[in-house]
């Protein structure tokens, strides 16, 4: 095995989650009275959405930087964001960025995108684990045993 797959299962998640997200945003814009959390919640949700999005983008940037460093050096990343969970890039997208979009657009249906993405993650992540185990062997097995898979606690 020469190089690790830099995209992992991201495209598999995106093939379903992105069209669903687009449909959810479209439905929210057309029928806000059906899909909103409520008209009185718009301003607090907007503020919360901005805060969550900024945190999510910072975490995403830090994780992407660490991942690219690991790929460049052919090294298993176990520090930084990878200290808290094995899949921080997917976790940030599903736990922070998608909910931030839901808050910004005052839309409960957008939250379903995160649920769908997590289900696809759980169905497909074994392929990444198998690739990582072949590439890094015992070092990876030890990392998996001591590090949470997705939720960083």
């Amino acid at each position: 095995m020469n190089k690790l797959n830099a995209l992992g299962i991201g495209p598999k998640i995106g093939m379903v989650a992105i069209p669903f997200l687009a449909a959810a945003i479209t439905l929210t814009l057309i029928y806000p009275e059906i899909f909103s959390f409520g008209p009185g919640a718009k301003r607090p949700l907007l503020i919360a959405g901005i805060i969550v999005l900024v945190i999510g983008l910072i975490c995403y940037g830090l994780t992407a930087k660490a991942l690219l460093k690991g790929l460049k050096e052919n090294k298993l990343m176990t520090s930084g964001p990878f200290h808290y969970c094995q899949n921080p890039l997917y976790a940030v997208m599903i736990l922070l960025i998608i909910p931030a979009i839901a808050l910004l657009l005052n839309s409960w249906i957008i939250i379903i995108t995160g649920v769908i993405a997590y289900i696809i993650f759980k169905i497909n992540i074994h392929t990444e684990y198998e690739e990582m185990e072949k590439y890094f062997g015992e070092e990876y097995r030890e990392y998996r045993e001591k590090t949470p898979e997705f939720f960083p606690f």
Side-chain angles (χ1 to χ4, degrees), residues 9-10 12-14 16-18 21 52-53 55-57 59-60 63 85 87-103 109-125 128 149-152:
I9 62 166
K12 289 181 182 181
I13 296 171
V16 176
I18 291 172
L21 178 62
V52 173
L53 184 61
I55 292 167
L57 292 174
C59 291
Y60 190 89
T63 302
C85 73
N87 300 285
L89 214 52
Y90 301 133
V92 166
M93 287 298 297
I94 294 169
L95 298 175
L96 293 174
I97 294 178
I98 291 171
I101 294 168
L103 293 170
I109 195 170
I110 292 173
I111 297 289
I112 296 171
T113 306
V115 174
I116 290 169
Y118 182 72
I119 291 168
I120 297 167
F121 163 83
K122 289 299 284 183
I123 290 170
N124 292 288
I125 194 61
E128 274 192 35
E149 176 183 58
F150 186 83
F151 297 100

Side-chain angles (χ1 to χ4, degrees), residues 61-77:
L62 293 171
T63 302
K65 182 178 176 183
L67 179 63
L68 291 172
K69 179 182 179 196
L71 287 168
K72 183 179 177 184
E73 298 173 1
N74 289 321
K75 177 182 169 191
L76 178 64
M77 296 307 295

